[in-house]
Amino acid sequence: MKHPPQDQLALFAGGEAGWFESWSVRRHLVACPICRKRAADFSQDRQTVRNLSVELPPEVEWNRLADEMAGNIRVGLAAGEAIAAFDRPSDDRTSGVAGARTSWLRWNAGWAIAAASAVFAAAFWLNLPNPQAEHLLTALRAIRVDRAGKLVQPAAPAADEVVVEASGSSIQVRENGGSLALLHPRSDGLTISVNMQGSAGARYIDSDTGQVTINRVYYAQQ
Amino acid sequence: MRSSRLLALVAAGAASIYAAILPKIDLPKDSPVAVIGADYGDSTETARGGAVVVDLHASLSLRNSSGRHIRGITLLVRSQEVTPGSKGSVTLTSLDVAPGEAFPVRMDIRLLRPVTSLGGPLELGLDGVLFDDLSFYGPDNLQSRHTLTVYEIEARRDRRYYKALLAEGGPARLRQEVLASLSRQVDRPDMEVQMTRASRATNLEPERPVQFALLHLPDSPVEPTEGMAKIAGNEARTPRLEVHNKSDRAVRYLEIGWLVKDGRGRQFMAGTVPATLNLPPGEKAQVLKETLKFPQLGGGPLSIDSMTAFVSNVEFSDGKMWVPSRADLGDPRLQSVLAPSPEEQRLVQLYRKKGLTALVDELKKF
Amino acid sequence: MATAFPAQRTMSDRGAPSQLDAGFQASQELQSRFISDNLRRVFLLIYRIVDNVADAQDLTQEALIKALQHQDQLKDPEKAAHWLSRIATNTAIDFLRRNGKVNFCEIDGLIEPLREPSATPEEQVLHNEHRGYLEEGLAGLTERERTALVLRDVEGLSAEEVAKQLNCSKATVRSHIANARIKFRRYMERKARA
């Protein structure tokens, strides 16, 4: 018995086979349990793909991601409106107040465009990509922009020299072969600050509580 | 001082592991905050090579046991065994905790100690609490009174500013300003920073004398008048900076902010330097003593090309403080490099997460 | 699910500045609801096509912004969900065309083995621990095959509609779909034997 090719069975299972192909396969299936099972497997796979496609990838923290996306969309729409106002000719030429407001809008929208455009130049220049800034920038510009630049590994000073380090995930102080680090979650708007008499801080907004949190480490002066 | 050891874990099997790494929480008897709950659920202690790593994930619940609203708090974090002289702190600011109300504090701490060290508990203490009337409680070993007060004054300034925008230009005007702030935050990339001990000579670059550029903020009661240093790599040696008290009150403390331009033309806010002094009205004084060692940035060693000094905040002898006004902050040299205040950051984030209505409602609360 | 679109509101509609007016507030709330009602569905659809979380995030944002900015193009509000899905898939497909330089009208051979991710043994172990078998099964398809399969079997588009979306012939689309199903079936059989 000649079996139909696999692709015919696969298309038959999904209803994409032409009428003659379908008729031919249907006739064969009546007499062939092997191909019947095969077609049923293809059918089942379709359902499997459908069922499992509503599940999130395991590495995704949905609430956090959704919050971030919703925020970026809101910002992107608002920025788009500012730019649209910039493009729209002013209807009111009589009121000085409206004229002043329009010219403020023009300045601000133009600045927003320039600022958005400058981000990747700055990121490339400093070789320090900020994944969250990029997602926000994408929303601001509403187009897909490729990442610019790669993280350059900083030249490592001698291990016994460095006492305080601040990075995107933690700030730490080292002493006597030990270290104390305060970790911060990946969050938007992380701000690193330095007091040159011996401390560094990392400020962020806790995404669960909305609280402003500042972690700081202090090194002992010799 | 009363000390208490809190065990917040459910599983008896886990208790034996966590007993070794649970922190010791020291709060004074008359502390305005009390710990009412603590969870260290994901905390671990693991050996890695020649070291032991303790990962402490603490979710504390504190209650305001005073009769006033709390605006800020700084907790001290210390491990005498691991880093005897060094310490950390966790500050929450822009709070509004009413008497009797509870609030969460989350800390994620990693201790790394050599296996040969004895190890010992992490200590959590209270450095200070700021109330809504700007009074302060605490030992203030980390200058948290000054810091929390500056944050609160900045917060009030920024809330007034946003409310004024809302009143003058409606929600659209408020939203545009928030977007502008957000753009500035996005524009300012995260920095990776390394600092080394000031006392060690780490670079042998030749010195060259550099006159400081000075940024005058019109409203500032103190202004820098002249300054210079010998620059070598990332160090400003034998620095001299003179300041003039233009106000009619004596000044006891101020912070100088430094904008640095490096050899690659990058301009950024490098840090601040505090100065404790007793400066009568109308008088001048020198405020720098030691070599300024600027932090290294991710990407390589820093080579200073030029430095600009400005007065970041001032504390008068009567305890009142001055911070730059919004007009001062509009200076383009500052706007592109200075981080927003914590309150501005919080309000902008509120807008991002919950929208304009939520932001307007929040502003109405104050 | 039919979701009401927020009424479009422009700067010049605002009138005299005063407290947040009820109309603007309602518009903002509708916008927020539209986003929250559709965000997960759009994200998953785009993710299944581009197979990358970070890209899916950016493209989801882009698609929803586009939809809300061009809502005047939607004639029948009852078809909002379907219209939004088209925007989302177009956004993802355009991305693959531009960045992955994918030509949806070329047909992949079936003889080539399922692609294994190039990773260290340690990364592969981690990969297998964390990804479900659907992820692995779909990751083994080419972009063309995966896109065609998602549009047909997940979105329920007919083969003609998929061809229109990918801008290629129905015969090509049928080949993509058939290849995708065969490769996925092979993967499922290998999983069953393991």
Side-chain angles (χ1 to χ4, degrees):
Chain A
M1 183 192 296
K2 194 173 170 221
H3 302 287
Q6 286 223 68
D7 58 337
Q8 258 190 30
L9 279 176
L11 291 175
F12 173 80
E16 296 99 13
W19 72 266
F20 180 75
E21 273 176 344
S22 293
W23 176 82
S24 174
V25 166
R26 209 173 289 116
R27 268 189 71 201
H28 175 82
L29 292 187
V30 169
C32 177
I34 296 170
C35 287
R36 246 193 337 267
K37 165 104 181 31
R38 195 111 193 119
D41 286 341
F42 278 129
S43 225
Q44 180 58 45
D45 287 346
R46 293 187 72 216
Q47 191 58 44
T48 302
V49 168
R50 256 197 302 272
N51 291 345
L52 295 177
S53 66
V54 297
E55 288 185 10
L56 289 163
E59 68 267 29
V60 164
E61 284 179 51
W62 177 246
N63 289 339
R64 193 178 290 239
L65 181 62
D67 271 352
E68 193 180 322
M69 284 197 283
N72 290 343
I73 289 165
R74 190 176 296 116
V75 165
L77 285 167
E81 214 177 296
I83 291 166
F86 170 67
D87 288 339
R88 197 179 302 125
S90 170
D91 291 330
D92 189 345
R93 302 196 202 293
T94 55
S95 161
V97 171
R101 200 176 305 144
T102 309
S103 60
W104 188 90
L105 281 172
R106 281 207 190 98
W107 175 85
N108 194 52
W111 184 88
I113 295 166
S117 305
V119 165
F120 275 139
F124 180 77
W125 191 31
L126 290 175
N127 285 323
L128 289 171
N130 180 335
Q132 277 144 341
E134 286 167 11
H135 291 310
L136 177 56
L137 178 64
T138 303
L140 281 170
R141 296 178 69 180
I143 57 169
R144 178 82 180 103
V145 180
D146 286 331
R147 281 157 217 235
K150 288 186 171 55
L151 181 65
V152 171
Q153 292 301 322
D160 61 347
E161 280 187 306
V162 175
V163 291
V164 167
E165 264 190 35
S167 73
S169 60
S170 71
I171 47 171
Q172 65 169 306
V173 59
R174 292 204 271 273
E175 189 186 348
N176 274 4
S179 72
L180 167 67
L182 295 172
L183 311 177
H184 39 261
R186 289 175 64 78
S187 84
D188 295 334
L190 178 74
T191 304
I192 304 285
S193 62
V194 168
N195 178 315
M196 289 188 291
Q197 281 198 348
S199 70
R203 189 210 308 165
Y204 65 96
I205 309 279
D206 187 303
S207 62
D208 293 326
T209 62
Q211 284 170 338
V212 183
T213 307
I214 300 150
N215 290 341
R216 203 150 196 97
V217 290
Y218 308 77
Y219 70 70
Q221 298 280 2
Q222 283 190 329
Chain B
M1 300 273 271
R2 184 188 68 212
S3 68
S4 59
R5 187 176 284 267
L6 296 177
L7 294 175
L9 298 168
V10 175
S16 60
I17 301 168
Y18 290 107
I21 58 176
L22 287 181
K24 191 171 99 171
I25 301 182
D26 268 328
L27 294 181
K29 277 188 196 157
D30 60 347
S31 165
V33 295
V35 180
I36 58 171
D39 183 355
Y40 307 102
D42 295 332
S43 303
T44 56
E45 184 179 41
T46 48
R48 268 187 217 171
V52 173
V53 178
V54 173
D55 273 314
L56 184 76
H57 302 290
S59 293
L60 304 179
S61 192
L62 303 186
R63 186 176 57 219
N64 179 2
S65 47
S66 76
R68 291 165 286 175
H69 282 243
I70 290 176
R71 294 284 191 235
I73 182 169
T74 295
L75 296 171
L76 169 68
V77 177
R78 185 166 44 199
S79 173
Q80 300 279 27
E81 303 292 333
V82 177
T83 53
S86 306
K87 45 194 174 284
S89 68
V90 176
T91 294
L92 300 185
T93 185
S94 284
L95 293 176
D96 185 22
V97 184
E101 202 180 311
F103 61 102
V105 179
R106 185 164 175 91
M107 297 181 194
D108 295 288
I109 301 166
R110 176 169 292 159
L111 284 176
L112 187 148
R113 59 177 173 82
V115 287
T116 49
S117 123
L118 290 173
L122 195 71
E123 293 164 22
L124 300 182
L126 182 65
D127 194 63
V129 174
L130 186 80
F131 300 100
D132 54 352
D133 59 0
L134 300 186
S135 59
F136 179 85
Y137 169 94
D140 195 25
N141 292 319
L142 301 175
Q143 297 285 332
S144 52
R145 186 192 67 82
H146 178 88
T147 308
L148 289 173
T149 308
V150 165
Y151 288 152
E152 176 61 18
I153 294 173
E154 287 176 339
R156 295 177 185 184
R157 172 198 70 195
D158 292 339
R159 284 195 292 264
R160 270 197 308 271
Y161 174 67
Y162 283 128
K163 287 172 78 165
L165 287 180
L166 180 64
E168 285 162 18
R173 181 69 183 86
L174 175 64
R175 187 174 63 175
Q176 278 159 353
E177 182 61 28
V178 168
L179 284 180
S181 174
L182 201 48
S183 277
R184 288 194 294 271
Q185 289 180 48
V186 168
D187 229 350
R188 202 181 319 104
D190 287 349
M191 311 254 268
E192 293 190 356
V193 159
Q194 289 164 344
M195 290 168 65
T196 58
R197 285 191 202 279
S199 59
R200 293 190 192 193
T202 55
N203 81 69
L204 301 170
E205 288 192 37
E207 295 177 352
R208 58 188 173 88
V210 166
Q211 201 86 15
F212 298 151
L214 305 172
L215 178 54
H216 297 281
L217 302 179
D219 297 333
S220 174
V222 177
E223 66 173 8
T225 51
E226 59 174 359
M228 63 159 300
K230 293 186 184 145
I231 304 293
N234 68 326
E235 293 179 358
R237 298 172 184 163
T238 57
R240 295 282 177 266
L241 180 68
E242 184 184 78
V243 297
H244 173 222
N245 183 358
K246 302 185 316 185
S247 75
D248 57 2
R249 290 180 280 174
V251 167
R252 69 180 179 200
Y253 180 92
L254 54 85
E255 286 185 359
I256 303 288
W258 290 100
L259 307 180
V260 165
K261 195 167 171 186
D262 70 2
R264 287 156 70 176
R266 300 181 295 180
Q267 177 132 340
F268 53 92
M269 174 73 179
T272 55
V273 174
T276 303
L277 66 170
N278 181 8
L279 187 58
E283 299 289 313
K284 293 182 180 178
Q286 294 284 341
V287 293
L288 298 179
K289 298 185 180 74
E290 300 172 349
T291 294
L292 297 178
K293 193 148 183 171
F294 287 92
Q296 293 191 19
L297 303 182
L302 172 66
S303 181
I304 300 170
D305 188 63
S306 64
M307 294 163 59
T308 302
F310 67 97
V311 175
S312 169
N313 60 73
V314 171
E315 184 174 333
F316 298 99
S317 296
D318 61 4
K320 298 260 184 341
M321 297 203 198
W322 171 89
V323 299
S325 64
R326 292 296 305 205
D328 288 334
L329 295 177
D331 187 305
R333 285 168 291 179
L334 288 181
Q335 206 175 51
S336 58
V337 295
L338 216 56
S341 70
E343 180 66 358
E344 181 176 333
Q345 196 176 355
R346 184 184 77 88
L347 292 173
V348 167
Q349 186 70 354
L350 180 66
Y351 164 77
R352 272 193 70 198
K353 293 202 104 171
K354 297 194 177 158
L356 196 57
T357 310
L359 174 59
V360 172
D361 288 344
E362 180 70 12
L363 288 173
K364 282 180 191 168
K365 286 184 199 167
F366 294 91
Chain C
M1 162 177 57
T3 308
F5 260 105
Q8 197 164 24
R9 191 174 173 90
T10 60
M11 293 290 189
S12 55
D13 295 342
R14 299 274 152 75
S18 60
Q19 296 298 317
L20 195 64
D21 66 87
F24 180 67
Q25 193 166 347
S27 167
Q28 293 292 294
E29 281 167 8
L30 275 176
Q31 191 184 89
S32 293
R33 229 187 78 198
F34 177 79
I35 294 170
S36 62
D37 284 348
N38 291 285
L39 192 62
R40 183 183 166 117
R41 184 176 66 79
V42 169
F43 173 80
L44 281 170
L45 172 57
I46 291 176
Y47 171 71
R48 293 298 166 209
I49 294 174
V50 303
D51 195 37
N52 176 284
V53 170
D55 290 339
Q57 178 180 348
D58 286 338
L59 296 169
T60 300
Q61 289 166 188
E62 194 180 320
L64 279 160
I65 288 171
K66 273 190 217 168
L68 284 162
Q69 283 179 334
H70 297 104
Q71 55 187 283
D72 52 329
Q73 292 173 8
L74 176 66
K75 303 298 173 210
D76 182 358
E78 292 295 313
K79 295 189 174 147
H82 179 79
W83 179 75
L84 179 57
S85 295
R86 294 294 70 73
I87 293 177
T89 50
N90 283 339
T91 305
I93 289 165
D94 285 344
F95 167 74
L96 288 179
R97 281 199 179 108
R98 275 197 320 267
N99 290 65
K101 298 183 175 37
V102 176
N103 180 348
F104 286 95
C105 301
E106 287 176 8
I107 297 175
D108 303 288
L110 198 53
I111 299 168
E112 65 194 73
L114 262 171
R115 272 202 321 243
E116 294 293 339
S118 57
T120 65
E122 194 179 29
E123 282 167 355
Q124 280 204 343
V125 167
L126 215 56
H127 180 84
N128 291 338
E129 276 174 7
H130 290 301
R131 290 190 90 176
Y133 61 90
L134 173 67
E135 310 278 335
E136 284 184 356
L138 289 182
L141 308 179
T142 65
E143 289 97 343
R144 289 180 271 264
E145 289 161 356
R146 190 170 58 242
T147 305
L149 189 72
V150 166
L151 291 179
R152 175 75 188 109
D153 285 349
V154 177
E155 282 295 290
L157 300 187
S158 66
E160 288 86 355
E161 286 170 324
V162 175
K164 215 168 149 187
Q165 192 95 56
L166 299 182
N167 199 27
C168 45
S169 70
K170 192 177 157 190
T172 303
V173 163
R174 288 170 75 229
S175 292
H176 291 333
I177 291 170
N179 287 353
R181 287 186 187 145
I182 291 168
K183 284 184 181 176
F184 191 78
R185 173 83 317 250
R186 282 183 190 165
Y187 168 78
M188 295 291 279
E189 281 165 2
R190 277 210 303 277
K191 266 308 217 203
R193 281 196 298 269

